[in-house]
Amino acid sequence: MTANDELTSTLRCIERRVIWLATSIVHHANRRRPNPSGLKVGGHQASSASIATIMAALWFEHLRRGDRVSVKPHASPVMHAISYLLGQLEAPQLETLRQFGGLQSYPSRRKDPVPADFSTGSVGIGATAPIWAAIAKRQTERFTGSHTRVRHYSLVGDAELDEGAVWEAVFDPMVRELGEVVWIVDINRQSLDRIVPQIAAERFERVFAAAGWQVLTVKFGEELEALFARPGGERLRERIIAMSNAEYQRMLRLPATELRAKLPGMGPHAEAIHALIDGLDDAALTSAIGNLGGHDFVALRRAFERIDDTVPTVILAYTVKGYLLPTAGHPQNHSALLTEEEYRQFAVELGEDADSPWSRFDTSSAAGRLSAEVATRLHRTDPEAAATPFEPPVDFGHTPRGTAATQAALGRALLDLSRSAPELARRVVTVSPDVSSSTNLAGWINKVGVWAPAPRKDWFDGDGQTMLHWREAPEGQHIELGIAEVNLVSLLGELGATWSRDGQPLIPIGTIYDPFVERALEPWSYGIYAGGQSILVGTPSGVTLAPEGGAHQSIKTPSIGLEQPECVSVEPAFAIEVEWLLLDAISRLGRQDGTSTYLRLSTRPVDQALAELPTDAAGRAQRRKHVVAGGYVLRPAADPHVRIAAMGAMVPEALEAASMLLLSGIRAEVVVVTSADKLFRAAQARAGLDDAPSWIIEQLFPAAVPAPLVTVLDGHPHTLAFLGSVAKSEARHLGVSKFGQSGDLDSVYAWHGIGAADIAGAALDLVRL
């Protein structure tokens, strides 16, 4: 017996134990753990068994220290089983799947006791995460100087390839140069409800190859290949390949006598196939028909040995969903659970103990020695970032003058950061989906360059009419994606995780047209859930973008920002506020208690004199403190008849409305809301429902000076409606609650009822009450 034969035998032993443990983890959660509520616990025994061989091969033979693996969501029990065999979990923890505080239903970087490399669970998002993590790691190389190309693996279910976001990532031009990316597709041909009729590796082969990937197909195992080499074997190969997915799955579940009758089919070569399988006993026949490449260690080894580390690789591995289980190949096995009787019979078949399922290998056995070896080989201690990695200046000291839009202020703030704090600015990585120039990043890009895996010549470098210089190199700090917003936020999530994964915090800032935040909402939220801390800039925003028409006018995004966990939503009205809020957002990145920021900006030019910025240092510092806390009183009024709370681009209208009201003898105080999010948390804290600071509420809406309230924003009025209860008075809430129209600003504002006259009218209604 060769060394490879011995290793294969040991891996087969480990594979069986992994499937047993994974099955037992789900079984205990559903059949043995007390469940007073009666609610379904669930789990995926069949999906776990499908990929167990691949994961055993990867972890116990091919994985290297530093490699990262994204595990398909439904295979979390396999991940937990492997962690247990490597000594990273203890037996009592295996009994906590889907229990509060226990093993997570889907792999989690932040909630599992052994942190997964990537949080998965939302189909398709985990699949692409290793691509973006590979790019993020290359960005950290600017600071580490190390160019070690560890692999970034993605274990993907074939049904996940239905997700459009997967193909957006696969076809991004920069991805074809990421040789450290390896995907392994578990082709079990089943989804949640059925056997999928059209899943065929041949189609996947063509699509991945067209995207520039190396494609390796592992279709059949050694048993079947040996059978194909016999007389009549080629006819059997043709017959199996020609079968529909459903017909093949049915063959897997037939007893040997029926299999002998149905496997040859009715074609012209049926007799040759009959003659071939007549020479096999029943056990050999039933074993061979299920001997697919994804369950064969020799076939998988050959594929791993052929990986070309200069281009991304996809391994298409054919498997059986429910491999070895009594539910193997059944079309409804996705969430099927073994009965107690089936579980006990399964234990007998594998030589396990159903009453004492949590056994590791004897340390003197080949499997025990390999487990110990692998535990040592793969052991790593992820570096941690400093508790306060970023300490940006709080104020550049400039006073913006003239007319400016908050969107334009972002580009200037980034350039100011590069001048005032150059070392900090080196950690900024901006990301854009082909809208860099239209979101005012041109100056920044000219300064820091564009990232590319290898240097590329800029053919327009000497062209005098070229204002945006596209200098591409590995040192570039701007990453340009195609028009693919999901890719953008997915990349932001991985760039924002380097502080905990690599010990090298980055400052990821992504610009995206604000209405498209909704298109990318789920992967953005999932990236935050997984621990990625970043700054997402939604710009341009609102119906203020009137000439663009209704399609590009965002409505719901202010509410979305307020409701997103672990993210602070801010919307400045003036350029100085952009600067202060951006610097504050940077200070909260890259640490255990850090948060992301959603910065909503506008293209509306605003007279900066309206900010009435204090000229003395103390007054300026006080204004900044209030801006960062969530709001400030811009135009105070003694014993006001009404308060107007305005956000973002609507502040000029609020000020104009206050002036109109004063002509009628009505004193209106104008409050600028810079963060509905922070004000809501402050209000909750005042009620004992949050631990945020609450002082800002009393500053803006003092209980001793009550007044009716009008709120207004370029977005849905629901966003600021909570301020009515904060003010404890009658309130009117103005905003945008219908699709936009093209037109001049006055016409569009009047149509939505958010112009100065509308604000004044709402205030008059309240004062008359």
Side-chain angles (χ1 to χ4, degrees):
M1 180 181 286
T2 67
N4 270 353
D5 291 337
E6 290 180 3
L7 176 58
T8 299
S9 176
T10 302
L11 289 173
R12 184 66 66 196
C13 179
I14 290 172
E15 169 211 59
R16 258 70 175 161
R17 180 63 57 84
V18 166
I19 292 176
W20 167 253
L21 288 171
T23 303
S24 298
I25 288 169
V26 178
H27 185 79
H28 183 88
N30 287 274
R31 306 291 191 201
R32 295 186 172 179
R33 191 169 70 213
N35 184 8
S37 71
L39 292 173
K40 173 188 172 184
V41 177
H44 300 88
Q45 292 172 327
S47 292
S48 292
S50 170
I51 202 169
T53 316
I54 293 169
M55 291 180 67
L58 180 58
W59 258 264
F60 289 87
E61 184 174 2
H62 302 287
L63 207 60
R64 305 166 301 186
R65 181 180 298 164
D67 289 348
R68 305 280 181 177
V69 187
S70 172
V71 177
K72 74 172 190 175
H74 295 151
S76 70
V78 180
M79 186 186 75
H80 300 317
I82 290 174
S83 294
Y84 177 64
L85 291 180
L86 297 182
Q88 299 167 335
L89 290 174
E90 297 304 323
Q93 291 173 292
L94 300 185
E95 300 180 353
T96 66
L97 180 72
R98 300 186 172 214
Q99 180 177 290
F100 184 79
L103 301 179
Q104 297 301 295
S105 49
Y106 307 124
S108 174
R109 286 193 66 232
R110 300 172 66 196
K111 297 184 178 181
D112 271 317
V114 179
D117 289 336
F118 300 93
S119 293
T120 61
S122 192
V123 172
I125 295 175
T128 65
I131 290 175
W132 314 123
I135 295 174
K137 188 174 189 306
R138 292 201 183 198
Q139 279 289 329
T140 64
E141 291 171 0
R142 292 191 283 113
F143 307 100
T144 64
S146 169
H147 299 278
T148 304
R149 289 286 173 262
V150 297
R151 284 179 179 167
H152 289 71
Y153 289 94
S154 186
L155 305 182
V156 186
D158 52 10
E160 284 191 86
L161 299 185
D162 289 343
E163 288 288 338
V166 167
W167 300 110
E168 283 185 7
V170 167
F171 275 94
D172 191 286
M174 74 177 77
V175 172
R176 69 176 61 197
E177 299 181 61
L178 300 177
E180 60 267 47
V181 171
V182 179
W183 283 21
I184 306 173
V185 183
D186 172 15
I187 301 186
N188 60 40
R189 297 165 299 269
Q190 289 185 234
S191 64
L192 189 150
D193 294 323
R194 60 175 179 154
I195 298 168
V196 180
Q198 299 303 322
I199 285 182
E202 291 81 4
R203 188 172 78 243
F204 293 150
E205 288 170 356
R206 293 192 298 271
V207 177
F208 276 103
W213 290 49
Q214 177 191 29
V215 181
L216 303 173
T217 301
V218 188
K219 194 160 194 173
F220 301 116
E222 292 295 291
E223 279 184 69
L224 265 180
E225 291 290 359
L227 200 55
F228 294 154
R230 297 185 188 180
E234 192 56 35
R235 302 308 182 190
L236 177 60
R237 181 197 296 271
E238 293 168 0
R239 164 76 173 124
I240 292 176
I241 290 174
M243 286 181 185
S244 69
N245 290 334
E247 183 181 8
Y248 176 76
Q249 300 279 100
R250 187 70 187 106
M251 296 294 166
L252 294 175
R253 298 188 59 79
L254 293 176
T257 52
E258 287 188 56
L259 184 58
R260 290 183 189 279
K262 294 183 178 179
L263 179 58
M266 304 297 291
H269 304 296
E271 287 305 315
I273 298 172
H274 268 298
L276 173 64
I277 65 177
D278 281 347
L280 302 175
D281 62 32
D282 288 353
L285 177 60
T286 55
S287 174
I289 192 63
N291 180 228
L292 297 180
H295 300 302
D296 191 288
F297 288 103
V298 176
L300 288 169
R301 183 177 300 129
R302 288 173 180 160
F304 278 104
E305 289 171 350
R306 291 175 58 199
I307 292 174
D308 179 355
D309 285 320
T310 66
V311 293
T313 296
V314 60
I315 298 174
L316 303 171
Y318 277 70
T319 63
V320 176
K321 192 162 183 173
Y323 174 65
L324 297 183
L325 300 177
T327 57
H330 192 279
Q332 277 86 54
N333 67 9
H334 181 79
S335 297
L337 301 171
L338 300 191
T339 64
E340 183 66 27
E341 182 181 351
E342 288 172 329
Y343 177 72
R344 289 187 173 278
Q345 179 58 39
F346 188 51
V348 172
E349 292 170 5
L350 293 185
E352 300 287 353
D353 186 347
D355 295 316
S356 183
W358 316 123
S359 57
R360 288 193 177 103
F361 294 111
D362 187 296
T363 55
S364 63
S365 68
R369 291 195 301 273
L370 181 57
S371 297
E373 250 173 61
V374 171
T376 301
R377 169 164 52 88
L378 299 183
H379 177 75
R380 67 183 184 223
T381 303
D382 288 342
E384 291 192 8
T388 55
F390 298 132
E391 296 182 1
V394 297
D395 191 337
F396 294 134
H398 306 315
T399 299
R401 303 188 188 282
T403 300
T406 53
Q407 177 183 280
L410 172 69
R412 287 196 291 272
L414 288 174
L415 290 173
D416 284 340
L417 182 68
S418 67
R419 288 187 284 264
S420 300
E423 285 305 308
L424 189 66
R426 285 187 64 224
R427 294 192 176 267
V428 173
V429 182
T430 53
V431 185
S432 173
D434 198 34
V435 293
S436 302
S437 54
S438 60
T439 52
N440 286 86
L441 290 182
W444 166 257
I445 292 171
N446 287 342
K447 183 174 183 63
V448 302
V450 178
W451 180 83
R456 294 172 185 158
K457 183 175 178 61
D458 179 7
W459 292 97
F460 286 84
D461 193 30
D463 182 31
Q465 292 183 317
T466 300
M467 303 301 293
L468 175 58
H469 299 288
W470 212 251
R471 301 188 180 99
E472 297 178 272
E475 298 77 32
Q477 290 177 239
H478 176 76
I479 301 176
E480 186 84 357
L481 298 156
I483 303 175
E485 289 80 12
V486 170
N487 284 357
L488 177 136
V489 295
S490 298
L491 176 55
L492 277 183
E494 295 306 319
L495 289 167
T498 60
W499 68 275
S500 60
R501 177 178 285 143
D502 304 306
Q504 290 294 335
L506 298 173
I507 303 171
I509 302 174
T511 61
I512 183 174
Y513 282 0
D514 196 59
F516 300 158
V517 167
E518 293 179 63
R519 182 184 299 177
L521 181 56
E522 189 207 3
W524 174 53
S525 178
Y526 207 86
I528 295 173
Y529 163 82
Q533 298 171 9
S534 64
I535 299 170
L536 181 64
V537 182
T539 185
S541 66
V543 300
T544 298
L545 194 64
E548 289 270 356
H552 280 179
Q553 296 176 12
S554 54
I555 299 170
K556 296 177 287 183
T557 49
S559 291
I560 288 171
L562 187 154
E563 294 161 8
Q564 174 60 46
E566 297 184 25
C567 178
V568 175
S569 177
V570 295
E571 185 165 349
F574 299 104
I576 189 64
E577 296 167 18
V578 175
E579 174 186 311
W580 290 338
L581 292 169
L582 178 65
L583 293 173
D584 177 66
I586 290 172
S587 74
R588 287 184 281 103
L589 294 175
R591 62 192 203 197
Q592 288 289 350
D593 61 344
T595 56
S596 294
T597 296
Y598 168 39
L599 181 60
R600 191 173 188 252
L601 304 181
S602 170
T603 50
R604 183 192 182 182
V606 173
D607 181 2
Q608 299 302 298
L610 294 176
E612 299 178 12
L613 192 63
T615 55
D616 63 296
R620 183 183 177 104
Q622 181 77 349
R623 170 69 65 85
R624 180 197 164 274
K625 178 182 178 182
H626 281 235
V627 165
V628 170
Y632 61 96
V633 177
L634 175 56
R635 184 169 298 177
D639 193 19
H641 295 107
V642 65
R643 284 193 177 89
I644 302 172
M647 189 161 78
M650 301 311 304
V651 169
E653 273 62 40
L655 291 170
E656 185 180 349
S659 297
M660 293 167 63
L661 290 167
L662 191 58
L663 294 175
S664 301
I666 296 173
R667 296 184 299 277
E669 186 165 87
V670 177
V671 174
V672 176
V673 175
T674 55
S675 176
D677 188 347
K678 287 189 175 183
L679 294 188
F680 180 75
R681 287 199 62 193
Q684 290 287 87
R686 191 170 69 171
L689 300 174
D690 201 308
D691 59 358
S694 61
W695 61 268
I696 189 66
I697 291 294
E698 182 60 25
Q699 291 288 314
L700 303 183
F701 308 103
V705 191
L709 177 68
V710 176
T711 67
V712 61
L713 75 155
D714 188 353
H716 200 282
H718 157 263
T719 311
L720 296 179
F722 72 93
L723 289 177
S725 63
V726 170
K728 298 182 179 179
S729 61
E730 291 287 340
R732 295 288 184 271
H733 306 292
L734 308 183
V736 180
S737 55
K738 54 188 175 182
F739 290 116
Q741 297 278 1
S742 293
D744 63 275
L745 213 54
D746 288 342
S747 299
V748 171
Y749 279 4
W751 190 69
H752 285 288
I754 55 175
D758 302 295
I759 298 169
L764 285 170
D765 286 344
L766 287 171
V767 171
R768 290 179 187 136
L769 288 177

